[in-house]
mmCIF file of all heavy atoms in Angstrom:
data_model
loop_
_atom_site.group_PDB
_atom_site.id
_atom_site.type_symbol
_atom_site.label_atom_id
_atom_site.label_comp_id
_atom_site.label_asym_id
_atom_site.label_seq_id
_atom_site.Cartn_x
_atom_site.Cartn_y
_atom_site.Cartn_z
ATOM 1 N N PRO I 1256 93.840 125.382 103.156
ATOM 2 C CA PRO I 1256 93.121 124.378 102.359
ATOM 3 C C PRO I 1256 92.114 125.026 101.442
ATOM 4 O O PRO I 1256 91.631 126.145 101.664
ATOM 5 C CB PRO I 1256 92.427 123.515 103.424
ATOM 6 C CG PRO I 1256 92.304 124.417 104.605
ATOM 7 C CD PRO I 1256 93.507 125.316 104.573
ATOM 8 N N ILE I 1257 91.793 124.311 100.363
ATOM 9 C CA ILE I 1257 90.770 124.765 99.421
ATOM 10 C C ILE I 1257 89.403 124.615 100.081
ATOM 11 O O ILE I 1257 89.060 123.570 100.608
ATOM 12 C CB ILE I 1257 90.842 123.970 98.131
ATOM 13 C CG1 ILE I 1257 92.232 124.113 97.485
ATOM 14 C CG2 ILE I 1257 89.764 124.401 97.160
ATOM 15 C CD1 ILE I 1257 92.421 123.251 96.266
ATOM 16 N N HIS I 1258 88.595 125.692 100.040
ATOM 17 C CA HIS I 1258 87.314 125.670 100.740
ATOM 18 C C HIS I 1258 86.279 124.824 100.033
ATOM 19 O O HIS I 1258 85.411 124.240 100.653
ATOM 20 C CB HIS I 1258 86.793 127.090 100.922
ATOM 21 C CG HIS I 1258 87.615 127.899 101.863
ATOM 22 N ND1 HIS I 1258 87.406 127.883 103.232
ATOM 23 C CD2 HIS I 1258 88.665 128.748 101.671
ATOM 24 C CE1 HIS I 1258 88.274 128.685 103.845
ATOM 25 N NE2 HIS I 1258 89.046 129.214 102.915
ATOM 26 N N SER I 1259 86.355 124.774 98.722
ATOM 27 C CA SER I 1259 85.341 124.018 97.982
ATOM 28 C C SER I 1259 85.561 122.526 98.166
ATOM 29 O O SER I 1259 86.673 122.042 98.193
ATOM 30 C CB SER I 1259 85.418 124.366 96.489
ATOM 31 O OG SER I 1259 86.685 124.020 95.971
ATOM 32 N N VAL I 1260 84.465 121.797 98.308
ATOM 33 C CA VAL I 1260 84.519 120.357 98.482
ATOM 34 C C VAL I 1260 84.612 119.687 97.128
ATOM 35 O O VAL I 1260 83.857 120.013 96.212
ATOM 36 C CB VAL I 1260 83.277 119.849 99.249
ATOM 37 C CG1 VAL I 1260 83.303 118.349 99.377
ATOM 38 C CG2 VAL I 1260 83.214 120.507 100.625
ATOM 39 N N VAL I 1261 85.529 118.745 96.989
ATOM 40 C CA VAL I 1261 85.676 118.033 95.715
ATOM 41 C C VAL I 1261 84.504 117.072 95.569
ATOM 42 O O VAL I 1261 84.220 116.260 96.427
ATOM 43 C CB VAL I 1261 87.005 117.250 95.689
ATOM 44 C CG1 VAL I 1261 87.135 116.488 94.392
ATOM 45 C CG2 VAL I 1261 88.170 118.213 95.841
ATOM 46 N N SER I 1262 83.789 117.175 94.453
ATOM 47 C CA SER I 1262 82.645 116.301 94.185
ATOM 48 C C SER I 1262 83.086 115.225 93.211
ATOM 49 O O SER I 1262 83.488 115.500 92.096
ATOM 50 C CB SER I 1262 81.489 117.114 93.605
ATOM 51 O OG SER I 1262 80.396 116.281 93.330
ATOM 52 N N VAL I 1263 83.002 113.992 93.665
ATOM 53 C CA VAL I 1263 83.468 112.885 92.829
ATOM 54 C C VAL I 1263 82.406 111.791 92.823
ATOM 55 O O VAL I 1263 81.596 111.673 93.731
ATOM 56 C CB VAL I 1263 84.800 112.296 93.355
ATOM 57 C CG1 VAL I 1263 85.911 113.296 93.196
ATOM 58 C CG2 VAL I 1263 84.662 111.866 94.799
ATOM 59 N N LEU I 1264 82.433 110.998 91.780
ATOM 60 C CA LEU I 1264 81.575 109.831 91.723
ATOM 61 C C LEU I 1264 82.152 108.745 92.601
ATOM 62 O O LEU I 1264 83.340 108.704 92.886
ATOM 63 C CB LEU I 1264 81.439 109.356 90.280
ATOM 64 C CG LEU I 1264 80.737 110.332 89.319
ATOM 65 C CD1 LEU I 1264 80.808 109.778 87.906
ATOM 66 C CD2 LEU I 1264 79.302 110.590 89.733
ATOM 67 N N PRO I 1265 81.324 107.774 93.045
ATOM 68 C CA PRO I 1265 81.825 106.721 93.931
ATOM 69 C C PRO I 1265 82.972 105.931 93.351
ATOM 70 O O PRO I 1265 83.814 105.445 94.070
ATOM 71 C CB PRO I 1265 80.574 105.842 94.145
ATOM 72 C CG PRO I 1265 79.417 106.732 93.874
ATOM 73 C CD PRO I 1265 79.887 107.712 92.835
ATOM 74 N N ASP I 1266 83.035 105.757 92.021
ATOM 75 C CA ASP I 1266 84.087 104.939 91.433
ATOM 76 C C ASP I 1266 85.228 105.788 90.882
ATOM 77 O O ASP I 1266 86.044 105.304 90.107
ATOM 78 C CB ASP I 1266 83.506 104.089 90.301
ATOM 79 C CG ASP I 1266 82.812 104.956 89.241
ATOM 80 O OD1 ASP I 1266 82.585 106.146 89.498
ATOM 81 O OD2 ASP I 1266 82.526 104.397 88.162
ATOM 82 N N ASP I 1267 85.297 107.055 91.277
ATOM 83 C CA ASP I 1267 86.342 107.937 90.751
ATOM 84 C C ASP I 1267 87.463 108.020 91.777
ATOM 85 O O ASP I 1267 87.295 108.597 92.828
ATOM 86 C CB ASP I 1267 85.763 109.316 90.465
ATOM 87 C CG ASP I 1267 86.781 110.228 89.803
ATOM 88 O OD1 ASP I 1267 87.873 109.730 89.460
ATOM 89 O OD2 ASP I 1267 86.496 111.429 89.612
ATOM 90 N N ASP I 1268 88.607 107.431 91.464
ATOM 91 C CA ASP I 1268 89.747 107.436 92.380
ATOM 92 C C ASP I 1268 90.774 108.486 92.016
ATOM 93 O O ASP I 1268 91.753 108.681 92.753
ATOM 94 C CB ASP I 1268 90.440 106.060 92.400
ATOM 95 C CG ASP I 1268 89.533 105.005 93.001
ATOM 96 O OD1 ASP I 1268 88.738 105.353 93.888
ATOM 97 O OD2 ASP I 1268 89.649 103.853 92.583
ATOM 98 N N ASP I 1269 90.619 109.150 90.875
ATOM 99 C CA ASP I 1269 91.607 110.130 90.424
ATOM 100 C C ASP I 1269 91.188 111.507 90.899
ATOM 101 O O ASP I 1269 90.463 112.233 90.222
ATOM 102 C CB ASP I 1269 91.712 110.105 88.889
ATOM 103 C CG ASP I 1269 92.165 108.753 88.385
ATOM 104 O OD1 ASP I 1269 92.959 108.119 89.084
ATOM 105 O OD2 ASP I 1269 91.711 108.346 87.297
ATOM 106 N N LEU I 1270 91.611 111.851 92.106
ATOM 107 C CA LEU I 1270 91.251 113.123 92.692
ATOM 108 C C LEU I 1270 92.286 114.179 92.269
ATOM 109 O O LEU I 1270 93.482 113.904 92.231
ATOM 110 C CB LEU I 1270 91.200 113.025 94.221
ATOM 111 C CG LEU I 1270 90.264 111.956 94.769
ATOM 112 C CD1 LEU I 1270 90.277 111.985 96.279
ATOM 113 C CD2 LEU I 1270 88.865 112.155 94.243
ATOM 114 N N VAL I 1271 91.800 115.380 91.997
ATOM 115 C CA VAL I 1271 92.694 116.454 91.611
ATOM 116 C C VAL I 1271 93.332 117.029 92.854
ATOM 117 O O VAL I 1271 92.668 117.354 93.828
ATOM 118 C CB VAL I 1271 91.882 117.542 90.870
ATOM 119 C CG1 VAL I 1271 92.801 118.702 90.491
ATOM 120 C CG2 VAL I 1271 91.226 116.964 89.632
ATOM 121 N N SER I 1272 94.638 117.153 92.869
ATOM 122 C CA SER I 1272 95.358 117.716 94.008
ATOM 123 C C SER I 1272 96.371 118.712 93.504
ATOM 124 O O SER I 1272 96.836 118.647 92.370
ATOM 125 C CB SER I 1272 96.061 116.606 94.810
ATOM 126 O OG SER I 1272 97.009 115.949 93.979
ATOM 127 N N ASN I 1273 96.708 119.655 94.368
ATOM 128 C CA ASN I 1273 97.678 120.692 94.005
ATOM 129 C C ASN I 1273 99.082 120.168 94.267
ATOM 130 O O ASN I 1273 99.419 119.820 95.410
ATOM 131 C CB ASN I 1273 97.421 121.955 94.823
ATOM 132 C CG ASN I 1273 96.096 122.589 94.476
ATOM 133 O OD1 ASN I 1273 95.587 122.406 93.378
ATOM 134 N ND2 ASN I 1273 95.511 123.333 95.411
ATOM 135 N N PRO I 1274 99.930 120.105 93.262
ATOM 136 C CA PRO I 1274 101.297 119.593 93.482
ATOM 137 C C PRO I 1274 102.112 120.566 94.311
ATOM 138 O O PRO I 1274 102.004 121.788 94.185
ATOM 139 C CB PRO I 1274 101.856 119.454 92.059
ATOM 140 C CG PRO I 1274 101.060 120.418 91.247
ATOM 141 C CD PRO I 1274 99.700 120.460 91.856
ATOM 142 N N THR I 1275 102.951 120.021 95.189
ATOM 143 C CA THR I 1275 103.840 120.831 96.021
ATOM 144 C C THR I 1275 105.070 121.195 95.217
ATOM 145 O O THR I 1275 105.722 120.309 94.652
ATOM 146 C CB THR I 1275 104.235 120.037 97.280
ATOM 147 O OG1 THR I 1275 103.046 119.666 97.976
ATOM 148 C CG2 THR I 1275 105.118 120.876 98.183
ATOM 149 N N PRO I 1276 105.430 122.493 95.142
ATOM 150 C CA PRO I 1276 106.607 122.878 94.332
ATOM 151 C C PRO I 1276 107.889 122.229 94.803
ATOM 152 O O PRO I 1276 108.771 121.929 93.993
ATOM 153 C CB PRO I 1276 106.651 124.414 94.510
ATOM 154 C CG PRO I 1276 105.293 124.808 94.916
ATOM 155 C CD PRO I 1276 104.744 123.672 95.709
ATOM 156 N N SER I 1277 108.020 122.002 96.110
ATOM 157 C CA SER I 1277 109.262 121.423 96.648
ATOM 158 C C SER I 1277 109.265 119.895 96.644
ATOM 159 O O SER I 1277 110.138 119.296 97.279
ATOM 160 C CB SER I 1277 109.471 121.931 98.084
ATOM 161 O OG SER I 1277 108.350 121.599 98.893
ATOM 162 N N TRP I 1278 108.326 119.281 95.925
ATOM 163 C CA TRP I 1278 108.238 117.818 95.969
ATOM 164 C C TRP I 1278 109.514 117.123 95.491
ATOM 165 O O TRP I 1278 109.863 116.059 96.019
ATOM 166 C CB TRP I 1278 107.040 117.339 95.158
ATOM 167 C CG TRP I 1278 106.917 115.850 95.156
ATOM 168 C CD1 TRP I 1278 107.024 115.003 94.097
ATOM 169 C CD2 TRP I 1278 106.677 115.017 96.285
ATOM 170 N NE1 TRP I 1278 106.868 113.711 94.480
ATOM 171 C CE2 TRP I 1278 106.662 113.681 95.836
ATOM 172 C CE3 TRP I 1278 106.494 115.262 97.639
ATOM 173 C CZ2 TRP I 1278 106.456 112.614 96.670
ATOM 174 C CZ3 TRP I 1278 106.285 114.197 98.498
ATOM 175 C CH2 TRP I 1278 106.278 112.883 98.008
ATOM 176 N N PRO I 1279 110.249 117.608 94.471
ATOM 177 C CA PRO I 1279 111.497 116.931 94.086
ATOM 178 C C PRO I 1279 112.462 116.745 95.249
ATOM 179 O O PRO I 1279 113.220 115.760 95.265
ATOM 180 C CB PRO I 1279 112.076 117.840 93.013
ATOM 181 C CG PRO I 1279 110.905 118.521 92.416
ATOM 182 C CD PRO I 1279 109.943 118.747 93.568
ATOM 183 N N HIS I 1280 112.458 117.654 96.214
ATOM 184 C CA HIS I 1280 113.293 117.501 97.413
ATOM 185 C C HIS I 1280 112.585 116.668 98.474
ATOM 186 O O HIS I 1280 113.185 115.785 99.099
ATOM 187 C CB HIS I 1280 113.639 118.865 97.991
ATOM 188 C CG HIS I 1280 114.581 119.651 97.148
ATOM 189 N ND1 HIS I 1280 115.070 120.880 97.501
ATOM 190 C CD2 HIS I 1280 115.149 119.381 95.935
ATOM 191 C CE1 HIS I 1280 115.885 121.339 96.556
ATOM 192 N NE2 HIS I 1280 115.934 120.440 95.601
ATOM 193 N N LEU I 1281 111.284 116.948 98.656
ATOM 194 C CA LEU I 1281 110.551 116.272 99.742
ATOM 195 C C LEU I 1281 110.477 114.766 99.526
ATOM 196 O O LEU I 1281 110.533 113.997 100.492
ATOM 197 C CB LEU I 1281 109.135 116.845 99.854
ATOM 198 C CG LEU I 1281 109.020 118.296 100.364
ATOM 199 C CD1 LEU I 1281 107.560 118.732 100.347
ATOM 200 C CD2 LEU I 1281 109.588 118.423 101.759
ATOM 201 N N GLN I 1282 110.344 114.348 98.296
ATOM 202 C CA GLN I 1282 110.250 112.914 98.025
ATOM 203 C C GLN I 1282 111.486 112.165 98.538
ATOM 204 O O GLN I 1282 111.375 111.109 99.157
ATOM 205 C CB GLN I 1282 110.069 112.663 96.534
ATOM 206 C CG GLN I 1282 109.922 111.212 96.165
ATOM 207 C CD GLN I 1282 109.749 110.997 94.670
ATOM 208 O OE1 GLN I 1282 110.034 111.901 93.876
ATOM 209 N NE2 GLN I 1282 109.275 109.828 94.277
ATOM 210 N N ILE I 1283 112.630 112.732 98.304
ATOM 211 C CA ILE I 1283 113.866 112.080 98.748
ATOM 212 C C ILE I 1283 113.987 112.156 100.257
ATOM 213 O O ILE I 1283 114.455 111.224 100.915
ATOM 214 C CB ILE I 1283 115.086 112.735 98.062
ATOM 215 C CG1 ILE I 1283 114.874 112.784 96.545
ATOM 216 C CG2 ILE I 1283 116.352 111.974 98.374
ATOM 217 C CD1 ILE I 1283 115.904 113.576 95.796
ATOM 218 N N VAL I 1284 113.570 113.295 100.845
ATOM 219 C CA VAL I 1284 113.635 113.436 102.308
ATOM 220 C C VAL I 1284 112.739 112.394 102.962
ATOM 221 O O VAL I 1284 113.107 111.791 103.984
ATOM 222 C CB VAL I 1284 113.228 114.859 102.715
ATOM 223 C CG1 VAL I 1284 113.139 114.967 104.248
ATOM 224 C CG2 VAL I 1284 114.236 115.886 102.194
ATOM 225 N N TYR I 1285 111.539 112.155 102.410
ATOM 226 C CA TYR I 1285 110.657 111.121 102.974
ATOM 227 C C TYR I 1285 111.302 109.735 102.860
ATOM 228 O O TYR I 1285 111.168 108.914 103.772
ATOM 229 C CB TYR I 1285 109.312 111.145 102.264
ATOM 230 C CG TYR I 1285 108.334 112.139 102.824
ATOM 231 C CD1 TYR I 1285 107.949 113.260 102.116
ATOM 232 C CD2 TYR I 1285 107.798 111.968 104.107
ATOM 233 C CE1 TYR I 1285 107.054 114.188 102.632
ATOM 234 C CE2 TYR I 1285 106.893 112.877 104.633
ATOM 235 C CZ TYR I 1285 106.535 113.982 103.890
ATOM 236 O OH TYR I 1285 105.653 114.901 104.432
ATOM 237 N N ASP I 1286 111.977 109.471 101.740
ATOM 238 C CA ASP I 1286 112.666 108.176 101.604
ATOM 239 C C ASP I 1286 113.757 108.034 102.646
ATOM 240 O O ASP I 1286 113.940 106.961 103.243
ATOM 241 C CB ASP I 1286 113.244 108.057 100.203
ATOM 242 C CG ASP I 1286 112.178 107.892 99.132
ATOM 243 O OD1 ASP I 1286 111.045 107.509 99.495
ATOM 244 O OD2 ASP I 1286 112.449 108.144 97.948
ATOM 245 N N ILE I 1287 114.491 109.116 102.870
ATOM 246 C CA ILE I 1287 115.557 109.081 103.888
ATOM 247 C C ILE I 1287 114.950 108.853 105.274
ATOM 248 O O ILE I 1287 115.441 108.035 106.068
ATOM 249 C CB ILE I 1287 116.366 110.389 103.841
ATOM 250 C CG1 ILE I 1287 117.156 110.481 102.530
ATOM 251 C CG2 ILE I 1287 117.302 110.500 105.046
ATOM 252 C CD1 ILE I 1287 117.863 111.807 102.318
ATOM 253 N N PHE I 1288 113.880 109.563 105.562
ATOM 254 C CA PHE I 1288 113.245 109.460 106.867
ATOM 255 C C PHE I 1288 112.735 108.042 107.100
ATOM 256 O O PHE I 1288 112.872 107.482 108.205
ATOM 257 C CB PHE I 1288 112.096 110.473 106.947
ATOM 258 C CG PHE I 1288 111.482 110.594 108.307
ATOM 259 C CD1 PHE I 1288 112.173 110.232 109.465
ATOM 260 C CD2 PHE I 1288 110.200 111.069 108.445
ATOM 261 C CE1 PHE I 1288 111.613 110.358 110.709
ATOM 262 C CE2 PHE I 1288 109.614 111.204 109.689
ATOM 263 C CZ PHE I 1288 110.313 110.828 110.832
ATOM 264 N N LEU I 1289 112.127 107.430 106.081
ATOM 265 C CA LEU I 1289 111.630 106.072 106.228
ATOM 266 C C LEU I 1289 112.761 105.084 106.485
ATOM 267 O O LEU I 1289 112.631 104.166 107.289
ATOM 268 C CB LEU I 1289 110.851 105.670 104.966
ATOM 269 C CG LEU I 1289 110.093 104.347 105.007
ATOM 270 C CD1 LEU I 1289 109.047 104.338 106.119
ATOM 271 C CD2 LEU I 1289 109.417 104.070 103.660
ATOM 272 N N ARG I 1290 113.905 105.302 105.835
ATOM 273 C CA ARG I 1290 115.078 104.462 106.086
ATOM 274 C C ARG I 1290 115.587 104.620 107.507
ATOM 275 O O ARG I 1290 115.988 103.662 108.162
ATOM 276 C CB ARG I 1290 116.183 104.824 105.093
ATOM 277 C CG ARG I 1290 115.887 104.457 103.663
ATOM 278 C CD ARG I 1290 116.229 103.012 103.384
ATOM 279 N NE ARG I 1290 115.859 102.628 102.038
ATOM 280 C CZ ARG I 1290 116.109 101.421 101.530
ATOM 281 N NH1 ARG I 1290 116.747 100.526 102.242
ATOM 282 N NH2 ARG I 1290 115.721 101.153 100.306
ATOM 283 N N ILE I 1291 115.562 105.859 107.995
ATOM 284 C CA ILE I 1291 116.034 106.112 109.349
ATOM 285 C C ILE I 1291 115.161 105.376 110.360
ATOM 286 O O ILE I 1291 115.649 104.679 111.254
ATOM 287 C CB ILE I 1291 116.022 107.625 109.647
ATOM 288 C CG1 ILE I 1291 117.032 108.350 108.755
ATOM 289 C CG2 ILE I 1291 116.348 107.899 111.115
ATOM 290 C CD1 ILE I 1291 116.929 109.858 108.856
ATOM 291 N N VAL I 1292 113.844 105.488 110.203
ATOM 292 C CA VAL I 1292 112.927 104.850 111.154
ATOM 293 C C VAL I 1292 113.072 103.329 111.072
ATOM 294 O O VAL I 1292 113.006 102.643 112.098
ATOM 295 C CB VAL I 1292 111.480 105.279 110.850
ATOM 296 C CG1 VAL I 1292 110.491 104.527 111.740
ATOM 297 C CG2 VAL I 1292 111.310 106.768 111.048
ATOM 298 N N SER I 1293 113.278 102.796 109.886
ATOM 299 C CA SER I 1293 113.359 101.346 109.733
ATOM 300 C C SER I 1293 114.644 100.768 110.317
ATOM 301 O O SER I 1293 114.631 99.684 110.900
ATOM 302 C CB SER I 1293 113.259 100.984 108.232
ATOM 303 O OG SER I 1293 112.078 101.458 107.674
ATOM 304 N N ARG I 1294 115.768 101.509 110.207
ATOM 305 C CA ARG I 1294 117.063 100.952 110.552
ATOM 306 C C ARG I 1294 117.546 101.346 111.935
ATOM 307 O O ARG I 1294 118.559 100.810 112.394
ATOM 308 C CB ARG I 1294 118.101 101.383 109.515
ATOM 309 C CG ARG I 1294 117.797 100.917 108.111
ATOM 310 C CD ARG I 1294 118.984 101.127 107.217
ATOM 311 N NE ARG I 1294 120.199 100.559 107.763
ATOM 312 C CZ ARG I 1294 121.376 100.566 107.157
ATOM 313 N NH1 ARG I 1294 121.487 101.136 105.985
ATOM 314 N NH2 ARG I 1294 122.436 100.016 107.705
ATOM 315 N N THR I 1295 116.882 102.257 112.581
ATOM 316 C CA THR I 1295 117.342 102.755 113.880
ATOM 317 C C THR I 1295 116.633 102.026 115.008
ATOM 318 O O THR I 1295 115.454 101.669 114.905
ATOM 319 C CB THR I 1295 117.101 104.272 113.977
ATOM 320 O OG1 THR I 1295 117.655 104.912 112.836
ATOM 321 C CG2 THR I 1295 117.731 104.841 115.236
#
Side-chain angles (χ1 to χ4, degrees):
I1257 300 175
H1258 292 275
S1259 61
V1260 177
V1261 179
S1262 179
V1263 293
L1264 295 175
D1266 56 347
D1267 185 7
D1268 294 328
D1269 299 326
L1270 304 181
V1271 178
S1272 61
N1273 295 335
T1275 303
S1277 57
W1278 179 245
H1280 290 183
L1281 291 177
Q1282 182 181 16
I1283 309 171
V1284 174
Y1285 275 112
D1286 290 341
I1287 292 173
F1288 188 23
L1289 189 59
R1290 291 276 176 176
I1291 295 172
V1292 175
S1293 302
R1294 298 192 52 178
T1295 307

